[in-house]
Amino acid sequence: MKKFEEDDSVARETDILSPTDGKPLRETLRGYKSQDGEFMIYKVIGGRKMEESEVRELVEKGVVGPLDGFISAKTRATFAAALKLVKDGESGKWKAEYDFGDKVDLGAVEPFWTDPATGAELCEVGSSYVLREREMGNGKQVFSYPTPHVQKRGSREQAVQLVERARPI
């Protein structure tokens, strides 16, 4: 199995255009591959089988998700994450990378709930809910309710209830 060489002669041509050569990606046994060989999206990422519609969205928009059903190689726990396309600086090749949405400017995120007692704001950031306090116009994270390691994401209402119950006395 380790020395198996995939034969592209049985590859199916898709209607998904490659970002590297503009030609249709070819579906092989392992993934979706550009005709110039510079781009490949694997069919199984993090133990999760990718649907062709998800691959299409990832290639066309550069991001897809958050998607459920990824499996941690270390703990075997399932988690949710978005996938984004990034170009590797060393090899110059494209790859799909997990995006948990935790690399954003908290000051720029719109809140969906404000605590009437403290003015703290609850925001949805990637696959987490974040409680922030405003400090000189910038957002400061006070509390985070991450959901990437659970099968089903909690609702906004559940996040509000959690914050209301967790208020310090």
Side-chain angles (χ1 to χ4, degrees):
M1 284 301 275
K2 288 183 180 182
K3 295 182 186 207
F4 173 73
E5 288 293 324
E6 192 168 47
D7 182 7
D8 287 352
S9 67
V10 295
R12 178 182 71 87
E13 196 168 278
T14 69
D15 61 349
I16 306 168
L17 299 180
S18 169
T20 59
D21 63 10
K23 296 179 181 175
L25 293 178
R26 292 180 153 184
E27 180 184 7
T28 65
L29 292 173
R30 295 185 301 162
Y32 297 85
K33 188 176 182 181
S34 67
Q35 294 180 33
D36 64 4
E38 294 296 312
F39 183 82
M40 173 114 172
I41 298 293
Y42 290 99
K43 286 183 177 180
V44 178
I45 299 174
R48 181 189 188 281
K49 185 178 184 319
M50 298 291 293
E51 299 293 327
E52 187 167 329
S53 60
E54 295 167 341
V55 172
R56 177 178 285 106
E57 186 174 339
L58 178 61
V59 171
E60 291 174 356
K61 296 181 180 177
V63 66
V64 64
L67 305 171
D68 290 327
F70 294 107
I71 302 170
S72 169
K74 290 181 182 179
T75 65
R76 307 302 299 162
T78 60
F79 64 95
L83 289 176
K84 66 179 180 178
L85 283 180
V86 293
K87 194 169 189 175
D88 187 283
E90 292 178 24
S91 70
K93 293 201 175 192
W94 291 90
K95 63 181 179 176
E97 196 174 81
Y98 296 122
D99 182 7
F100 296 107
D102 54 356
K103 297 175 183 167
V104 297
D105 175 15
L106 277 182
V109 179
E110 286 295 316
F112 64 86
W113 178 80
T114 303
D115 186 337
T118 66
E121 301 167 321
L122 197 54
C123 308
E124 192 169 354
V125 179
S127 57
S128 298
Y129 296 112
V130 175
L131 185 67
R132 73 169 177 214
E133 291 178 346
R134 292 278 183 178
E135 202 172 82
M136 291 187 255
N138 295 323
K140 176 186 167 197
Q141 181 174 317
V142 177
F143 171 81
S144 177
Y145 171 40
T147 58
H149 295 297
V150 295
Q151 189 82 27
K152 187 176 179 190
R153 179 187 179 95
S155 69
R156 287 182 169 189
E157 292 77 24
Q158 290 170 322
V160 170
Q161 289 173 1
L162 183 66
V163 170
E164 288 177 335
R165 289 185 194 145
R167 257 192 222 142
I169 298 173

